[in-house]
Structure formats: structure tokens, C-alpha cells
Amino acid sequence: MTTPHADLVAGEPRSVLREALAHLSTHRHDDGSLELVGEVPPELSDPLVRALETVADELRADDERRGVRPRSGGHLHADALIALLLRVTDTGRADQP
């Protein structure tokens, strides 16, 4: 039997990360630009930051393993966020939307 916390993503409970990410939204401006906004409560922000740091470390290590220049700065942070979102939403079950 698995507990809710046994389902970890980047070392953090998937349910906690889903709840943290649910505090983020997008806002489309008249000029066509898109803004990502949100305020994640403290009890959810710590696990989210730890998971993002874990994924960023994995991405840098993968870059080094492949012999390419390691990502950094905004590029690294954007890639880590996207990778984390994909992991959190991929439960591996075909019956999930």
C-alpha cells in the first residue's frame, strides 16, 4: 500500500507540488505578451523551491554528461520549471487527463 507522500517528484510529494503550482496563473496583456503570476504560500513554496533546485541540478549534470555547455540563469530556471511541470502532471497512468 502506498501513502500519498510515497509519490515523490524531485524528492517532494506530488500532491504538495501540484497544490503549489496551482497558485500560478498566466495573464495575457493587450500587446500580446504573457505574464506568469502567482503567490505561493510559505508552506508550499519551500517544497517547490527544493524541487526546482533538484531539477536544475539534474539538468546541469545531464548537460555536463553530454559534454555540452551547462545551462545557467534564466534558461536553466525556465527549463527546470517546464521539466518539473511535466513530471508533476505525468502520473504514468493512462486514465489521467
Side-chain angles (χ1 to χ4, degrees):
M1 177 189 244
T2 50
T3 63
H5 290 293
D7 188 17
L8 301 179
V9 176
E12 301 295 332
R14 182 185 308 271
S15 61
V16 171
L17 294 174
R18 285 183 76 101
E19 189 177 347
L21 291 167
H23 287 273
L24 303 178
S25 63
T26 58
H27 175 72
R28 188 77 181 229
H29 294 279
D30 292 338
D31 66 0
S33 62
L34 185 69
E35 181 179 10
L36 177 66
V37 296
E39 186 172 338
V40 180
E43 66 275 9
L44 299 173
S45 65
D46 287 341
L48 179 59
V49 168
R50 285 192 302 267
L52 285 167
E53 289 171 350
T54 296
V55 172
D57 290 345
E58 292 170 358
L59 291 172
R60 276 192 300 264
D62 184 60
D63 288 346
E64 291 173 7
R65 243 187 328 277
R66 293 183 301 121
V68 298
R69 183 174 173 211
R71 285 168 266 204
S72 63
H75 187 183
L76 175 64
H77 295 140
D79 287 353
L81 177 61
I82 297 302
L84 183 62
L85 287 169
L86 291 171
R87 292 181 193 183
V88 167
T89 59
D90 180 15
T91 61
R93 295 185 295 174
D95 63 340
Q96 294 293 312

